[in-house]
Amino acid sequence: MYLCRLYIYVVLAVAIMGNVGLAIFSRAEIAYVNLQPLPETGAMLALILFALNRSVPNSTARPLIIVVISFLIEAFLLLILLVLAFRVGDHITKIGAPPYVDDWLAATDMALGINWIGYFEWIHARPNLHPMLRLFYDEVNWAIAAVVVCFAILGRFDRVRFFVEAFVICAGLSILFGAFLPARGAPDFWVYDAGHYSNFVSLPGVFYLDALEYVRQPGPVVIGNGALTGLVTFPSLHTAIGVLIIIACWRSLLVIPAVFYSSIMIPATPVWGGHYFSDLIGGTIMALGVAAVLIRSPAFSQTFARRQKGLAIPVARGFRPVG
């Protein structure tokens, strides 16, 4: 496997089964008809990937075309599993409707001396920054894809696996925390009159509130009838992704664009993501903790090794698939 090790697929499969179990034993229902053909396509891709790997069992002897096709198929398969496991899971785990923790998150910001509304107004007063900030925030999925594709082209599949595994673990943890620590978000908490902020076309950072309120309402809930937008406030997954992009690209040719992207995307997160600064701190701690555990594991112990005597790190390191 080129994108991650087998345990990640096991985790995603368990998450999908957990979603199905919650739908069976709770007031939620999953609109499978609206998710088609994702399950069928995922199963078909898994069979094709298995057949390709069996056709040339020796991974080092596989033709380049087989490697490229296998990589693309695995990428689409992983994307489908992420939607079924985490996008669905993000919504179905919110039906428990524990109390919102906005008061606690806002109080944490203030205790740290952070003025969220002051930052919001500072951003509002600089409309020339808005298009770039929003673009970098909204297109985080393309940034993830760019990291994976660039390292795959460079033959650094060890970095691909590190980044993908760290991302999946952080995404799962954020959903787990979000299930018990829901919040409506900083803009909804702090902004009393959106009309005072005319430089914004509409109040940013509240795009998920209708979906959040829907899954928390009493009575039956259907998951999948609408867009499966992210509902987690704490910790900030966008921030975690930005940190992981920098770590994954460290000591590589990609570190400068990685730092450039993350240094713009993360500051956009409190406004366009509706996050408190405590969410950003939580996302940073989560990413650093997950990355530290993975880097210390045998699989990635040499991934970020220092260059010695001015020699470049071999381009083909980590090319061999695992699993």
Side-chain angles (χ1 to χ4, degrees):
M1 295 180 178
Y2 296 96
L3 290 176
C4 57
R5 289 172 289 172
L6 181 61
Y7 80 95
I8 290 294
Y9 292 99
V10 174
V11 168
L12 293 175
V14 170
I16 292 172
M17 290 187 289
N19 293 340
V20 174
L22 282 174
I24 293 174
F25 297 105
S26 73
R27 60 188 175 87
E29 175 188 348
I30 300 176
Y32 295 104
V33 64
N34 293 335
L35 296 176
Q36 291 177 345
L38 291 182
E40 297 87 343
T41 303
M44 180 184 67
L45 291 176
L47 289 174
I48 294 174
L49 186 62
F50 177 78
L52 285 172
N53 290 336
R54 292 289 294 177
S55 65
V56 187
N58 185 356
S59 59
T60 60
R62 290 173 187 165
L64 179 60
I65 185 62
I66 297 296
V67 172
V68 172
I69 293 175
S70 297
F71 176 81
L72 292 175
I73 290 176
E74 187 178 353
F76 281 113
L77 173 61
L78 184 61
L79 180 61
I80 289 172
L81 293 177
L82 286 171
V83 171
L84 294 176
F86 290 161
R87 282 299 189 182
V88 173
D90 190 11
H91 284 241
I92 203 168
T93 55
K94 302 301 183 293
I95 62 174
Y100 286 125
V101 296
D102 290 271
D103 289 339
W104 175 75
L105 293 171
T108 302
D109 277 6
M110 291 187 290
L112 294 172
I114 301 172
N115 182 357
W116 188 92
I117 194 66
Y119 180 76
F120 181 84
E121 291 175 346
W122 187 89
I123 293 293
H124 170 263
R126 291 159 177 80
N128 291 338
L129 297 177
H130 296 181
M132 181 172 62
L133 289 169
R134 179 166 185 173
L135 176 68
F136 277 46
Y137 178 84
D138 288 345
E139 303 305 329
V140 66
N141 289 334
W142 286 107
I144 294 172
V147 172
V148 172
V149 171
C150 286
F151 277 127
I153 291 173
L154 293 172
R156 293 303 305 268
F157 284 89
D158 54 339
R159 295 204 182 220
V160 171
R161 287 191 287 270
F162 167 81
F163 179 66
V164 170
E165 291 182 19
F167 163 70
V168 172
I169 293 171
C170 284
L173 288 174
S174 70
I175 291 173
L176 183 62
F177 280 110
F180 297 99
L181 300 171
R184 290 179 59 87
D188 180 77
F189 184 87
W190 286 111
V191 178
Y192 297 102
D193 186 358
H196 288 164
Y197 301 99
S198 57
N199 286 340
F200 295 120
V201 176
S202 59
L203 182 64
V206 296
F207 57 92
Y208 55 87
L209 286 181
D210 289 344
L212 180 61
E213 287 299 315
Y214 171 73
V215 296
R216 288 170 58 89
Q217 69 180 357
V221 172
V222 180
I223 307 297
N225 272 346
L228 295 174
T229 186
L231 302 180
V232 174
T233 298
F234 179 89
S236 166
L237 184 58
H238 268 72
T239 301
I241 292 170
V243 173
L244 291 176
I245 286 175
I246 294 175
I247 295 174
C249 296
W250 200 250
R251 292 177 185 155
S252 79
L253 298 174
L254 302 179
V255 66
I256 293 177
V259 171
F260 174 75
Y261 171 78
S262 295
S263 64
I264 296 175
M265 185 271 285
I266 293 175
T269 299
V271 177
W272 278 271
H275 285 285
Y276 300 91
F277 282 91
S278 48
D279 301 336
L280 275 65
I281 294 170
T284 300
I285 294 173
M286 177 175 68
L288 292 175
V290 170
V293 171
L294 289 177
I295 290 172
R296 284 169 172 75
S297 68
F300 302 111
S301 60
Q302 298 301 313
T303 296
F304 301 98
R306 290 183 179 274
R307 300 182 182 184
Q308 298 179 356
K309 298 180 181 179
L311 297 178
I313 297 175
V315 170
R317 179 184 295 170
F319 177 78
R320 180 178 297 180
V322 296

